[in-house]
Amino acid sequence: MAAESTIVGALTALVAGRVYPDVAPAGVGRPYLVYQKVGGEVIAQLDNSLPSKVNGRFQISAWGASRTSIAALILQVEAAMVSIGARPIGSSVSDYESDTKLYGSRQDFSLWSDR
């Protein structure tokens, strides 16, 4: 949870606090960000003890009214994530949700944190 708190802290100012784990609530203002832990690297210690650090692969998704605004927002997300020590894993991917008529973009990041 330490990594998630750090991520929320880094992203909150970009979207006036609209940063949510897994899925955004219905009717939320736009733009907004959703983060999800989608894996990570594992450290296997030879003595079978737990390491003091853990890695998470986090996917950040930005959603809003226009492709242009979301393309700009995901660049700000990348800068904010890098500022907390996260490493981008690939570049962003554009999306469109026809049911909600929202434009999206998502990008994955690797982040190490204390256990």
Side-chain angles (χ1 to χ4, degrees), residues 66-80:
S66 75
R67 184 170 186 191
T68 304
S69 67
I70 291 307
L73 178 56
I74 202 70
L75 289 174
Q76 293 176 323
V77 166
E78 183 174 359

Side-chain angles (χ1 to χ4, degrees), residues 6 10 55 78-88 109-113:
T6 302
N55 177 261
E78 183 174 359
M81 292 296 289
V82 168
S83 78
I84 61 169
R87 181 179 49 87
F109 299 89
S110 173
L111 181 62
W112 289 92
S113 61

Side-chain angles (χ1 to χ4, degrees), residues 40-96:
E41 296 180 43
V42 175
I43 299 173
Q45 307 223 83
L46 293 176
D47 66 357
N48 294 324
S49 66
L50 292 175
S52 62
K53 299 283 185 186
V54 293
N55 177 261
R57 180 176 182 145
F58 292 90
Q59 185 171 88
I60 313 296
S61 299
W63 293 97
S66 75
R67 184 170 186 191
T68 304
S69 67
I70 291 307
L73 178 56
I74 202 70
L75 289 174
Q76 293 176 323
V77 166
E78 183 174 359
M81 292 296 289
V82 168
S83 78
I84 61 169
R87 181 179 49 87
I89 302 173
S91 61
S92 62
V93 177
S94 296
D95 199 359
Y96 180 74

Side-chain angles (χ1 to χ4, degrees), residues 13-50:
L14 301 178
V15 289
R18 294 184 300 272
V19 181
Y20 306 99
D22 304 319
V23 65
V28 69
R30 298 174 183 107
Y32 63 86
L33 300 171
V34 175
Y35 65 92
Q36 187 172 31
K37 187 173 180 188
V38 293
E41 296 180 43
V42 175
I43 299 173
Q45 307 223 83
L46 293 176
D47 66 357
N48 294 324
S49 66
L50 292 175

